[in-house]
Amino acid sequence: VQDNKISPLYRQRENMASANPFQNLVKEVQVGDANLKYYSLPSLNDSRVDKLPFSIRILLESAIRNCDQFQVHEKDVEKILDWEKTSKQQIEIPFKPARVILQDFTGVPAVVDLAAMRDAMKRLGGDPAKINPLVPVDLVVDHSVQVDAFGSPEALEKNEALEFQRNHERFSFLKWGSKAFENLLIVPPGSGIVHQVNLEYLARVVFNSNGVLYPDSLVGTDSHTTMINGLGVCGWGVGGIEGEAVMLGQPMSMVLPEVVGYKLTGRLAPAATATDLVLTITQNLRKHGVVGKFVEFFGEGVADLSVADRATLANMAPEYGATMGFFPCDAATVQFLRQTGRDSASVAYIDAYLRANHLLRDYSNAAQDPVFSSTLHLDLATVVPCLAGPKRPHDRVALHDMKTDFLNSLCAKVGFKGYGLSAEQLASSIKYDLNGHTAELTHGSVVIAAITSCTNTSNPSVMLGAGLVAKKAVEAGLKVKPHVKTSLSPGSGVVTRYLNDSGLMPYLNRLGFYLAGYGCMTCIGNSGDLPEETSAAIQKADLVAAAVLSGNRNFEGRVHPLTRANYLASPPLVVVYALAGSVAVDFETQCIGVNDAGKEIFLRDIWPTSQEIEEVVQKHVAPTMFRQVYDNIKNGTGRWNGLETPEGSLYTWDDKSTYIHNPPFFSSMERTPPSTGSIESAYCLLNLGDSITTDHISPAGRIAIKSPAARYLLAKSVASADFNTYGARRGNDEVMARGTFANTQLLNKMMPDYPKPSPKTVFVPTNEVMDIFDAADKYKLQGVPTIILAGAEYGSGSSRDWAAKGPYILGVKAVIAISYERIHRSNLVGMGIVPLQFKAGDNADTLGLTGKEQFTIDLSGDLSPGSDIPVKVSTGKSFVTTLRFDTPVELTYYRHGGILHYVLRQLLA
């Protein structure tokens, strides 16, 4: 992809700043006939540079290049150079990413916010044109397609037609945005998954801007932006709110992170895949504790991993809790660029720049190993086939332990590894008629088997491995069980090309794995309906049904409301479990199935060798495939090109729309920041436990018929069949506010029937049980603030800005939690919600808090990052919390009512 033009407004701002004090570091490198400039790290002549982790060197280069004594200062460069000391001191630095990437679930509300900010700018007497992305922004539409049709050659066409039918209004709005805003590239629906498109097409690795070379870097409004770390590109997920600020030219204020070095040695065993490796590493790093830190991989074992393998490991950085899972560039990186069809001129200057600036790694050369904050080690040979689940991605289960682990979970206490079934419930099973076949379901029956998600579909080894498993299974006479809903949703058209070219696609089709669409689909919760007969059977017998998917998230209620057990697995294992039809199988002693000749077929009979997989990869994955697929992206599709869009730089809002609505965030904003003060006599809206995810706070999946959002849509004459998903309606604040905390699996300790899950709460003044939105609305009408009590890892999961915007609209003023996931805490700050943290040893339970008290939070003092904040309870108790504004800039955002309000006032000034 060619670099977008940098905004003239951005250049004007650069010209207003002081001259760069590091101009003497500018050197030239000759590439062909061109002399290209770059800021040379070796020319610092500072011995500390070579000791820095490669990920920190990229932060250093950015600070040097952007040093203008205005947004980035000379002292910031010194802080980074002195990383070995300063990383332990919670030192704040600015970082200016080179670009921003979005997907449509987060991209639509971002463009809605930009459109609303233009309106506010005009209302307040400013220039609306100042609301414009100042750095390149790429938005890939990949979260809207659903697995409605499956198991047939027509599935792709039907699903894409339904996608446009449901999302016509959203897509038209995005197309308007691509014309109304500069530097905004829309990759249309049907092109692939954002992170795979980024890896294979959008990533620059090194920018060439007017003859100046510098490392590619980005932030993305999706947690798994980290996948690009596998290509040596520095990038991570941020909330949509923070991403919008970066688009508008604001530097990110971040704490200079510690870097955990993860040394890999040896080689993967023949039966192990990159998926098995990432699930193993995820479990290990969760135990080690890497939240808020970079992870950088090193050791000779890395050299044996392909870039696709590395991208799989980097993709799941959010699951192991790190900001990044970084692989410095090496010769394999440059070769990957050639393999994926990048033009030779770009590859030449990328290679030359990385060498000249000492950013090219040789993993076999231990002398290049930098200093790390701490280190871990893994012998790749010890990795065994595994899955993760049934409710969290870091709960790894070795394949040989799966049957025992699942059966034990059925009777275990309700929790991440338990369902609390009685002995009587264990025997539950049901037979029913399905498409002329007799199907039987028991606990652990697999009802969804999905080859999905950029985590794995970007990796030819596991995708072709799945094809080989399918081929061997078909040849052995095996068939998929009738109750399994199968789907194939790769992250780019390249996958289809090499599966067809290798002759393996027909075998996947024979097992029901027909192409269902190019998008996140099952991984994001767009799994579509199960057959009515299957749904009815699961509910009638009250079964713990299972889904097996090659995704990266498996939180309860995310994949499908009726799959209470959800396991992450490699694509080959997805095929195997579709054949077996149950997760309660020991493949070492039990057969997968019996063919028509009565022969038992075991896993060992159909599992391909690593040599077989590598031969197919080498023969059938070619650079021409990438060029052909991505050249076609530029042309768009017939449906996309036929969309009619509004004209003009200001959007004409339609009050009747249930997809796009002018949000309330800026409607009453004034030029002067509002006054801030203590939170007085707040009621508790919810009292929550540990690991409340952004899926609990702001679900992305289907809208339940009895929910507040459904009532709103029905009142707007929207038929239930056209509800679509919460994710698709994120451009409408009325729907999203009603969808906040609407996850049916939410556990609220205030409820009389806790621990039974439900999206309800107690309205404390009258002790009534009602929908959470209705209770919040009552508090707002009475002018009473609310807070939320929570446990550890509050806000884990996807980088979902509506998980902060929704509570903001509901009137939530503060959250008091044991700990926060990084991105969600940032999102709360971005919306002006106060994040407070219990002191060590304290939580709602130990303090005797039920959630039915009133709380006064003293914010009247001289606030600073990490301040002690006293909280008084109406019962007479009091306790002290830690203020989780982590930098002075975050306090500034809070005083302005949020980050976007701050940016808007800056642009007005």
Side-chain angles (χ1 to χ4, degrees):
V1 64
Q2 292 186 345
D3 294 343
N4 302 51
K5 293 180 179 178
I6 306 299
S7 165
L9 184 60
Y10 195 54
R11 298 197 190 287
Q12 182 182 1
R13 181 175 294 180
E14 287 180 336
N15 292 337
M16 290 169 60
S18 303
N20 191 322
F22 295 99
Q23 201 64 32
N24 63 307
L25 299 182
V26 175
K27 305 298 177 184
E28 290 189 348
V29 58
Q30 185 167 352
V31 183
D33 296 330
N35 287 318
L36 303 174
K37 296 180 179 180
Y38 69 100
Y39 284 83
S40 170
L41 297 182
S43 296
L44 280 167
N45 293 319
D46 193 315
S47 60
R48 293 175 293 179
V49 174
D50 288 339
K51 294 181 180 179
L52 292 176
F54 283 73
S55 51
I56 299 300
R57 296 180 201 184
I58 292 175
L59 299 183
L60 174 64
E61 190 281 338
S62 175
I64 289 171
R65 176 169 38 86
N66 290 297
C67 188
D68 58 1
Q69 308 292 32
F70 174 57
Q71 290 185 326
V72 183
H73 295 263
E74 225 172 326
K75 63 182 179 182
D76 297 315
V77 173
E78 176 56 30
K79 289 176 186 176
I80 302 172
L81 268 170
D82 208 28
W83 169 86
E84 200 171 342
K85 295 178 182 176
T86 54
S87 61
K88 300 177 177 65
Q89 301 169 2
Q90 293 288 296
I91 295 293
E92 175 193 0
I93 62 163
F95 176 52
K96 300 191 75 171
R99 60 188 176 101
V100 176
I101 196 163
L102 314 167
Q103 36 89 340
D104 57 302
F105 269 17
T106 53
V108 167
V111 180
V112 165
D113 284 349
L114 292 176
M117 289 176 76
R118 276 193 174 176
D119 288 351
M121 180 69 86
K122 181 180 179 182
R123 176 175 60 82
L124 294 170
D127 179 6
K130 286 186 176 181
I131 304 299
N132 204 75
L134 303 182
V135 296
V137 178
D138 303 310
L139 191 159
V140 181
V141 182
D142 68 347
H143 273 50
S144 300
V145 64
Q146 301 181 41
V147 190
D148 293 293
F150 66 98
S152 75
E154 298 80 30
L156 175 65
E157 172 59 27
K158 288 180 178 178
N159 290 334
E160 288 189 345
L162 281 168
E163 178 188 21
F164 266 80
Q165 179 183 320
R166 290 175 177 135
N167 297 283
H168 177 275
E169 201 174 332
R170 295 172 65 241
F171 293 169
S172 177
F173 173 72
L174 285 177
K175 195 172 179 182
W176 166 81
S178 69
K179 295 187 297 182
F181 296 102
E182 296 177 8
N183 286 329
L184 176 60
L185 169 71
I186 306 289
V187 178
S191 302
I193 303 176
V194 56
H195 307 305
Q196 190 161 342
V197 174
N198 193 20
L199 184 76
E200 297 175 352
Y201 175 60
L202 294 172
R204 284 75 159 173
V205 179
V206 173
F207 264 82
N208 180 357
S209 180
N210 296 322
V212 178
L213 302 178
Y214 53 93
D216 186 5
S217 62
L218 71 153
V219 290
T221 58
D222 188 282
S223 308
H224 297 101
T225 298
T226 53
M227 185 167 178
I228 204 62
N229 302 159
L231 193 59
V233 175
C234 187
W236 56 86
V238 296
I241 305 151
E242 192 173 4
E244 291 166 39
V246 173
M247 290 182 217
L248 295 172
Q250 290 297 304
M252 288 182 60
S253 175
M254 61 181 289
V255 173
L256 187 62
E258 294 183 34
V259 181
V260 176
Y262 205 135
K263 186 174 185 177
L264 304 180
T265 58
R267 302 187 65 177
L268 286 173
T273 66
T275 314
D276 304 319
L277 175 58
V278 72
L279 295 180
T280 302
I281 283 177
T282 297
Q283 183 182 51
N284 293 346
L285 285 172
R286 269 287 172 184
K287 290 179 180 177
H288 184 78
V290 292
V291 172
K293 302 175 184 179
F294 288 177
V295 172
E296 185 167 309
F297 293 91
F298 72 110
E300 64 271 21
V302 177
D304 195 54
L305 298 176
S306 67
V307 167
D309 291 341
R310 299 173 193 179
T312 297
L313 269 62
N315 177 283
M316 287 188 70
E319 281 65 49
Y320 44 83
T323 303
M324 287 203 303
F326 189 73
F327 289 85
C329 294
D330 69 341
T333 311
V334 177
Q335 180 56 32
F336 178 84
L337 296 174
R338 296 190 182 100
Q339 183 187 22
T340 51
R342 265 69 165 204
D343 70 88
S344 57
S346 296
V347 175
Y349 72 66
I350 290 168
D351 184 55
Y353 171 80
L354 293 172
R355 293 179 186 278
N357 222 9
H358 292 191
L359 293 174
L360 195 70
R361 186 77 163 90
D362 179 358
Y363 287 102
S364 63
N365 182 5
Q368 273 194 356
D369 291 351
V371 173
F372 294 111
S373 306
S374 62
T375 58
L376 288 86
H377 171 248
L378 177 67
D379 180 355
L380 297 178
T382 64
V383 175
V384 298
C386 57
L387 299 88
K391 302 181 184 182
R392 296 190 301 186
H394 53 279
D395 290 331
R396 186 184 72 92
V397 186
L399 180 62
H400 56 73
D401 292 331
M402 261 296 290
K403 180 179 179 179
T404 302
D405 190 83
F406 174 74
L407 293 178
N408 287 342
S409 73
L410 292 176
C411 293
K413 181 182 175 182
V414 173
F416 301 122
K417 280 283 191 178
Y419 295 95
L421 301 188
S422 65
E424 183 181 353
Q425 290 174 304
L426 277 180
S428 222
S429 67
I430 188 169
K431 290 185 178 181
Y432 64 104
D433 182 70
L434 180 64
N435 300 326
H437 299 278
T438 298
E440 182 176 6
L441 296 180
T442 61
H443 295 300
S445 290
V446 174
V447 294
I448 291 176
I451 299 175
T452 182
S453 174
C454 52
T455 308
N456 286 292
T457 67
S458 61
N459 194 325
S461 294
V462 292
M463 293 302 290
L464 289 166
L468 287 170
V469 168
K471 179 176 185 291
K472 290 172 180 281
V474 169
E475 290 172 345
L478 290 178
K479 298 175 183 177
V480 168
K481 298 296 184 288
H483 53 75
V484 183
K485 179 176 182 177
T486 50
S487 61
L488 169 64
S489 49
S492 83
V494 175
V495 179
T496 308
R497 294 289 181 101
Y498 63 63
L499 283 173
N500 281 325
D501 192 71
S502 63
L504 295 175
M505 185 69 92
Y507 295 103
L508 286 165
N509 293 167
R510 287 272 297 274
L511 297 182
F513 288 95
Y514 283 92
L515 184 62
Y518 296 102
C520 294
M521 303 189 87
T522 301
C523 189
I524 189 59
N526 289 352
S527 52
D529 292 330
L530 293 172
E532 290 182 11
E533 301 90 337
T534 300
S535 296
I538 294 170
Q539 294 175 85
K540 184 177 181 180
D542 195 19
L543 295 173
V544 178
V548 180
L549 64 152
S550 61
N552 47 44
R553 292 271 165 81
N554 58 340
F555 304 123
E556 194 170 11
R558 177 186 175 98
V559 174
H560 191 281
L562 295 179
T563 58
R564 295 165 64 188
N566 301 280
Y567 287 94
L568 307 181
S570 66
L573 279 180
V574 171
V575 177
V576 169
Y577 276 101
L579 295 164
S582 173
V583 295
V585 178
D586 180 353
F587 291 119
E588 292 189 0
T589 60
Q590 293 176 261
C591 66
I592 295 173
V594 180
N595 64 19
D596 291 341
K599 182 182 178 182
E600 292 184 337
I601 307 298
F602 288 82
L603 177 60
R604 56 183 173 270
D605 299 324
I606 65 170
W607 196 260
T609 65
S610 54
Q611 183 178 353
E612 286 177 291
I613 295 172
E614 184 58 27
E615 287 176 359
V616 178
V617 170
Q618 292 300 321
K619 187 175 181 180
H620 297 287
V621 181
T624 53
M625 294 178 178
F626 293 88
R627 282 193 287 265
Q628 290 166 358
V629 166
Y630 287 112
D631 282 347
N632 195 45
I633 278 181
K634 301 170 188 175
N635 302 324
T637 63
R639 288 190 178 95
W640 178 260
N641 293 335
L643 277 175
E644 294 184 2
T645 59
E647 299 295 329
S649 61
L650 295 177
Y651 189 70
T652 304
W653 305 97
D654 180 2
D655 287 338
K656 296 178 182 178
S657 172
T658 56
Y659 276 102
I660 306 297
H661 187 258
N662 193 351
F665 309 129
F666 314 106
S667 57
S668 60
M669 176 187 153
E670 300 297 336
R671 281 178 171 264
T672 305
S675 59
T676 57
S678 297
I679 300 169
E680 302 281 351
S681 300
Y683 279 104
C684 182
L685 184 62
L686 294 160
N687 182 4
L688 305 170
D690 294 340
S691 295
I692 293 296
T693 70
T694 51
D695 281 296
H696 289 112
I697 305 169
S698 183
R702 65 201 67 202
I703 297 170
I705 191 65
K706 294 183 179 180
S707 65
R711 294 200 301 268
Y712 170 81
L713 291 171
L714 290 169
K716 291 280 187 177
S717 300
V718 178
S720 59
D722 298 322
F723 280 178
N724 211 327
T725 63
Y726 285 111
R729 291 191 180 272
R730 284 184 183 161
N732 187 302
D733 57 280
E734 297 281 5
V735 174
M736 296 309 296
R738 288 165 172 80
T740 302
F741 295 109
N743 190 308
T744 58
Q745 298 302 313
L746 186 72
L747 294 173
N748 177 12
K749 296 178 184 178
M750 294 171 66
M751 289 292 290
D753 57 358
Y754 175 82
K756 183 179 179 181
S758 74
K760 295 182 181 294
T761 195
V762 175
F763 181 66
V764 177
T766 62
N767 207 35
E768 293 175 86
V769 172
M770 60 185 68
D771 287 320
I772 293 165
F773 173 80
D774 295 335
D777 198 40
K778 277 179 171 284
Y779 286 125
K780 286 181 69 177
L781 288 172
Q782 294 180 8
V784 180
T786 55
I787 67 163
I788 291 169
L789 297 175
E793 298 178 345
Y794 181 72
S796 57
S798 301
S799 59
R800 200 160 290 175
D801 58 345
W802 267 107
K805 288 178 175 177
Y808 170 89
I809 294 177
L810 294 188
V812 173
K813 301 301 181 184
V815 178
I816 309 176
I818 295 174
S819 65
Y820 295 87
E821 201 75 357
R822 176 184 61 86
I823 297 174
H824 184 62
R825 187 204 61 81
S826 175
N827 272 341
L828 292 174
V829 172
M831 289 309 300
I833 295 175
V834 181
L836 300 172
Q837 190 159 314
F838 287 111
K839 293 293 184 180
D842 283 354
N843 59 53
D845 293 339
T846 61
L847 292 169
L849 305 175
T850 65
K852 296 189 177 181
E853 307 87 354
Q854 285 183 274
F855 299 81
T856 295
I857 301 171
D858 185 0
L859 299 170
S860 61
D862 185 16
L863 301 180
S864 61
S867 293
D868 282 349
I869 303 296
V871 179
K872 292 182 179 178
V873 188
S874 56
T875 58
K877 294 180 181 178
S878 63
F879 58 98
V880 177
T881 62
T882 299
L883 182 66
R884 284 302 311 275
F885 292 136
D886 291 351
T887 65
V889 171
E890 290 186 344
L891 274 166
T892 301
Y893 296 156
Y894 164 67
R895 292 180 179 118
H896 278 263
I899 187 172
L900 296 182
H901 299 80
Y902 168 77
V903 171
L904 195 50
R905 290 190 180 98
Q906 292 292 105
L907 293 173
L908 278 165

